[in-house]
Amino acid sequence: MLLFETVREMGHEQILFCHGKNPDIRAIIAIHDTTLGPAMGATRLYPYVNEEAALKDALRLSRGMTYKAACANIPAGGGKAVIIANPENKTDEMLRAYGRFVNSLNGRFITGQDVNLTPDDVRTISQETNHVVGVSEKSGGPAPITSLGVLLGIKAAVEFRLQRKNLEGLKVAVQGLGNVGKNLCRHLHEHGIQLFVTDIDPVKTEEAKELFGATVVTPEEIYTLDVDVFAPCALGGILNSHTIPFLQAPIIAGAANNQLGNEQLHSQMLAKKGILYCPDYVINAGGLINVYNEMIGYDEEKAFKQVDNIYDTLLAIFNIAKHQEVSTNDAAKRLAEDRINSVKRSNTKEIAA
Ligand code: NAD
């Protein structure tokens, strides 16, 4: 990989390669864009096949965070960190050493918990730096606010695609009944929606059947249902060349991260099929809104008000996609870039004045 060429193309500001012998640590902190505020992005610990794979993940995910914060109207930039390690070899010493690297950035990068890190690990990192989020439990975790954001996203998509203000009587298929999926089912049930659900855990599907009168289907069937909305709330990469031909739902609106197998190819495949896709990082921004509010001093009313913006932002994205004849994925990027560029322009004017 031609490092500077790649970074110039993707627009990153800074990449920190963190290395220590004792304790043994290899980590990469990628800061994509801090125009709107300090770069926020969780830390992932993963046994990458090689260093290039780790770097690519950090670069791609940090850029995604810039777009996510910009679309959510949060005064934060995009960052991401990866620790290259096998989860079995994770030690407190390693995490504390990593915390010292985060601290060396003096708040330019603020991090939290991602794959293979636990809330306890984040607490260990916080022994070395204040620049972490998700340690406080004041907000009760991000899932309730994330599921509310997804509900608002579904409302916006139904209004735009089906020209309906009311959700009652619609059919929604929910993939994954974890923290977000279960909360979402509760909201949808309260709105009089007929639910179809799947999970690999039969205890969770039984519970959804009992609590919400949901119809349980297999993990394969969920893609094929004749429903109004498909809500992926489990895994990434599930919208791909294999699954898209089966989809009948005119709307995809769910919380899972990185739903598109290949961003360009599969967002266009969905658009060609007439399926309205709610970009995942826009509809699931409740989690980021939650940690951002924890950071500035949690105020539940304020946090929930910010989540309300997801509805208007998605409507704006659908309209950009329609008028500029691009996929909703590209429209979301354009909206984010416009917001960032307008702040850049006013910063330049201030300096010039
Ligand atoms: P979770 O781990 O609590 O739930 C995931 C559920 O998916 C589990 O019940 C699991 O059994 C099920 N599942 C796994 N494989 C499946 C399959 N093949 N078919 C059907 N079900 C399957 O996770 P969560 O916190 O509910 O998050 C769900 C998704 O939303 C994830 O992709 C996550 O990254 C994303 N997300 C979550 C938040 C949040 O606030 N928790 C915020 C933003 C994005």
PDB file of all heavy atoms in Angstrom, residues 111-123:
ATOM      1  N   THR A 111     -11.926   7.673  22.705  1.00  0.00           N
ATOM      2  CA  THR A 111     -12.252   6.309  22.300  1.00  0.00           C
ATOM      3  C   THR A 111     -13.174   5.600  23.284  1.00  0.00           C
ATOM      4  O   THR A 111     -13.513   6.121  24.346  1.00  0.00           O
ATOM      5  CB  THR A 111     -10.953   5.522  22.048  1.00  0.00           C
ATOM      6  OG1 THR A 111     -11.268   4.351  21.316  1.00  0.00           O
ATOM      7  CG2 THR A 111     -10.228   5.175  23.343  1.00  0.00           C
ATOM      8  N   GLY A 112     -13.594   4.403  22.886  1.00  0.00           N
ATOM      9  CA  GLY A 112     -14.501   3.593  23.701  1.00  0.00           C
ATOM     10  C   GLY A 112     -14.393   2.133  23.281  1.00  0.00           C
ATOM     11  O   GLY A 112     -13.409   1.725  22.671  1.00  0.00           O
ATOM     12  N   GLN A 113     -15.460   1.394  23.546  1.00  0.00           N
ATOM     13  CA  GLN A 113     -15.415  -0.059  23.406  1.00  0.00           C
ATOM     14  C   GLN A 113     -15.911  -0.553  22.039  1.00  0.00           C
ATOM     15  O   GLN A 113     -16.969  -0.168  21.586  1.00  0.00           O
ATOM     16  CB  GLN A 113     -16.308  -0.651  24.499  1.00  0.00           C
ATOM     17  CG  GLN A 113     -16.474  -2.123  24.480  1.00  0.00           C
ATOM     18  CD  GLN A 113     -17.769  -2.537  25.186  1.00  0.00           C
ATOM     19  OE1 GLN A 113     -18.390  -1.746  25.882  1.00  0.00           O
ATOM     20  NE2 GLN A 113     -18.181  -3.767  24.973  1.00  0.00           N
ATOM     21  N   ASP A 114     -15.110  -1.401  21.407  1.00  0.00           N
ATOM     22  CA  ASP A 114     -15.557  -2.066  20.180  1.00  0.00           C
ATOM     23  C   ASP A 114     -15.194  -3.561  20.300  1.00  0.00           C
ATOM     24  O   ASP A 114     -14.931  -4.046  21.408  1.00  0.00           O
ATOM     25  CB  ASP A 114     -14.912  -1.381  18.960  1.00  0.00           C
ATOM     26  CG  ASP A 114     -15.614  -1.737  17.647  1.00  0.00           C
ATOM     27  OD1 ASP A 114     -16.825  -1.968  17.654  1.00  0.00           O
ATOM     28  OD2 ASP A 114     -14.948  -1.799  16.612  1.00  0.00           O
ATOM     29  N   VAL A 115     -15.141  -4.236  19.178  1.00  0.00           N
ATOM     30  CA  VAL A 115     -14.957  -5.687  19.130  1.00  0.00           C
ATOM     31  C   VAL A 115     -13.801  -6.152  20.036  1.00  0.00           C
ATOM     32  O   VAL A 115     -12.706  -5.587  20.012  1.00  0.00           O
ATOM     33  CB  VAL A 115     -14.661  -6.126  17.670  1.00  0.00           C
ATOM     34  CG1 VAL A 115     -14.384  -7.613  17.572  1.00  0.00           C
ATOM     35  CG2 VAL A 115     -15.817  -5.719  16.771  1.00  0.00           C
ATOM     36  N   ASN A 116     -14.086  -7.161  20.849  1.00  0.00           N
ATOM     37  CA  ASN A 116     -13.109  -7.816  21.749  1.00  0.00           C
ATOM     38  C   ASN A 116     -12.638  -6.949  22.909  1.00  0.00           C
ATOM     39  O   ASN A 116     -11.677  -7.317  23.598  1.00  0.00           O
ATOM     40  CB  ASN A 116     -11.886  -8.357  20.988  1.00  0.00           C
ATOM     41  CG  ASN A 116     -12.239  -9.562  20.145  1.00  0.00           C
ATOM     42  OD1 ASN A 116     -13.072 -10.366  20.547  1.00  0.00           O
ATOM     43  ND2 ASN A 116     -11.633  -9.679  18.976  1.00  0.00           N
ATOM     44  N   LEU A 117     -13.291  -5.826  23.151  1.00  0.00           N
ATOM     45  CA  LEU A 117     -13.024  -5.068  24.382  1.00  0.00           C
ATOM     46  C   LEU A 117     -14.310  -5.060  25.209  1.00  0.00           C
ATOM     47  O   LEU A 117     -15.408  -4.970  24.655  1.00  0.00           O
ATOM     48  CB  LEU A 117     -12.601  -3.627  24.103  1.00  0.00           C
ATOM     49  CG  LEU A 117     -11.202  -3.366  23.540  1.00  0.00           C
ATOM     50  CD1 LEU A 117     -10.888  -1.882  23.615  1.00  0.00           C
ATOM     51  CD2 LEU A 117     -10.126  -4.147  24.262  1.00  0.00           C
ATOM     52  N   THR A 118     -14.160  -5.127  26.523  1.00  0.00           N
ATOM     53  CA  THR A 118     -15.320  -5.106  27.420  1.00  0.00           C
ATOM     54  C   THR A 118     -15.376  -3.750  28.130  1.00  0.00           C
ATOM     55  O   THR A 118     -14.372  -3.013  28.122  1.00  0.00           O
ATOM     56  CB  THR A 118     -15.169  -6.210  28.493  1.00  0.00           C
ATOM     57  OG1 THR A 118     -14.023  -5.869  29.291  1.00  0.00           O
ATOM     58  CG2 THR A 118     -14.993  -7.588  27.880  1.00  0.00           C
ATOM     59  N   PRO A 119     -16.517  -3.442  28.778  1.00  0.00           N
ATOM     60  CA  PRO A 119     -16.550  -2.196  29.565  1.00  0.00           C
ATOM     61  C   PRO A 119     -15.428  -2.171  30.617  1.00  0.00           C
ATOM     62  O   PRO A 119     -14.847  -1.121  30.889  1.00  0.00           O
ATOM     63  CB  PRO A 119     -17.936  -2.235  30.220  1.00  0.00           C
ATOM     64  CG  PRO A 119     -18.762  -3.059  29.280  1.00  0.00           C
ATOM     65  CD  PRO A 119     -17.841  -4.100  28.729  1.00  0.00           C
ATOM     66  N   ASP A 120     -15.083  -3.343  31.186  1.00  0.00           N
ATOM     67  CA  ASP A 120     -13.975  -3.386  32.162  1.00  0.00           C
ATOM     68  C   ASP A 120     -12.650  -3.008  31.501  1.00  0.00           C
ATOM     69  O   ASP A 120     -11.810  -2.339  32.106  1.00  0.00           O
ATOM     70  CB  ASP A 120     -13.845  -4.791  32.771  1.00  0.00           C
ATOM     71  CG  ASP A 120     -14.857  -4.988  33.894  1.00  0.00           C
ATOM     72  OD1 ASP A 120     -15.435  -3.975  34.342  1.00  0.00           O
ATOM     73  OD2 ASP A 120     -15.081  -6.148  34.296  1.00  0.00           O
ATOM     74  N   ASP A 121     -12.448  -3.447  30.254  1.00  0.00           N
ATOM     75  CA  ASP A 121     -11.205  -3.083  29.534  1.00  0.00           C
ATOM     76  C   ASP A 121     -11.136  -1.566  29.345  1.00  0.00           C
ATOM     77  O   ASP A 121     -10.069  -0.968  29.467  1.00  0.00           O
ATOM     78  CB  ASP A 121     -11.161  -3.751  28.150  1.00  0.00           C
ATOM     79  CG  ASP A 121     -11.031  -5.265  28.252  1.00  0.00           C
ATOM     80  OD1 ASP A 121     -10.503  -5.738  29.269  1.00  0.00           O
ATOM     81  OD2 ASP A 121     -11.464  -5.948  27.308  1.00  0.00           O
ATOM     82  N   VAL A 122     -12.296  -0.966  29.034  1.00  0.00           N
ATOM     83  CA  VAL A 122     -12.308   0.493  28.833  1.00  0.00           C
ATOM     84  C   VAL A 122     -11.971   1.182  30.158  1.00  0.00           C
ATOM     85  O   VAL A 122     -11.251   2.180  30.196  1.00  0.00           O
ATOM     86  CB  VAL A 122     -13.675   0.964  28.275  1.00  0.00           C
ATOM     87  CG1 VAL A 122     -13.709   2.471  28.113  1.00  0.00           C
ATOM     88  CG2 VAL A 122     -13.939   0.301  26.932  1.00  0.00           C
ATOM     89  N   ARG A 123     -12.455   0.612  31.261  1.00  0.00           N
ATOM     90  CA  ARG A 123     -12.108   1.173  32.580  1.00  0.00           C
ATOM     91  C   ARG A 123     -10.604   1.078  32.819  1.00  0.00           C
ATOM     92  O   ARG A 123      -9.982   1.990  33.355  1.00  0.00           O
ATOM     93  CB  ARG A 123     -12.860   0.431  33.688  1.00  0.00           C
ATOM     94  CG  ARG A 123     -14.086   1.192  34.076  1.00  0.00           C
ATOM     95  CD  ARG A 123     -14.947   0.510  35.121  1.00  0.00           C
ATOM     96  NE  ARG A 123     -16.319   0.637  34.651  1.00  0.00           N
ATOM     97  CZ  ARG A 123     -17.087  -0.352  34.264  1.00  0.00           C
ATOM     98  NH1 ARG A 123     -16.654  -1.586  34.321  1.00  0.00           N
ATOM     99  NH2 ARG A 123     -18.300  -0.125  33.827  1.00  0.00           N
TER     100      ARG A 123
END
